[in-house]
Amino acid sequence: MSAIWGVINGKKNITKTVVSAMQDSMKEFVIDRCDCIIRDSVYFACGLQHFTKISHSERLPIYDESTETYFTADCVLTNREEVIRMLSDAYSKDTLNALGDGELSYKAYLQFGER
């Protein structure tokens, strides 16, 4: 599975020292790619493993400026086609098919909330 880590540093900006220390703590794990978000006092990272074809293009974590939401997931959707069908009124099928499972989960969250 992938790894998720981060820190919220109150009112202080995230320093390179904090980022380096957290990234160094993940070096012992098999991670194909690491993506992160650093915004003022928030550092949020996701170490991704490429174990499905679509996982190679997945972009996590997500920061959605319009909702000021941070999101990531460590998941494999077993009902991926069903989720795509449920979202097809709001998004094009090509767009949905191109998304990784975590990104697709975020679209579902936007559409349906916690339910």
Side-chain angles (χ1 to χ4, degrees):
M1 299 306 278
S2 300
I4 300 167
W5 64 93
V7 64
I8 299 172
N9 199 19
K11 296 190 185 278
K12 295 181 181 178
N13 284 348
I14 299 298
T15 65
K16 290 180 182 180
T17 304
V18 169
V19 171
S20 292
M22 294 191 83
Q23 287 177 338
D24 287 348
S25 70
M26 295 294 150
K27 283 185 178 178
E28 69 181 271
F29 303 104
V30 177
I31 295 175
D32 296 312
R33 188 181 81 250
C34 175
D35 291 336
C36 70
I37 296 169
I38 301 172
R39 292 183 54 84
D40 303 324
S41 64
V42 176
Y43 168 61
F44 193 27
C46 188
L48 299 160
Q49 294 176 319
H50 299 156
F51 57 91
T52 64
K53 183 179 176 182
I54 196 72
S55 67
H56 289 265
S57 62
E58 182 148 48
R59 293 289 167 232
L60 292 171
I62 295 167
Y63 176 68
D64 184 338
E65 288 190 38
S66 67
T67 61
E68 297 184 330
T69 300
Y70 292 89
F71 182 89
T72 197
D74 184 9
C75 67
V76 175
L77 295 177
T78 57
N79 65 335
R80 183 178 170 83
E81 293 305 317
E82 178 184 357
V83 173
I84 288 171
R85 275 194 310 276
M86 292 171 65
L87 294 172
S88 63
D89 288 343
Y91 304 95
S92 78
K93 197 162 186 171
D94 288 341
T95 297
L96 295 171
N97 281 324
L99 296 176
D101 288 353
E103 295 165 303
L104 194 56
S105 296
Y106 183 61
K107 296 291 187 193
Y109 174 75
L110 290 174
Q111 186 72 22
F112 305 113
E114 291 185 19
R115 67 177 217 277

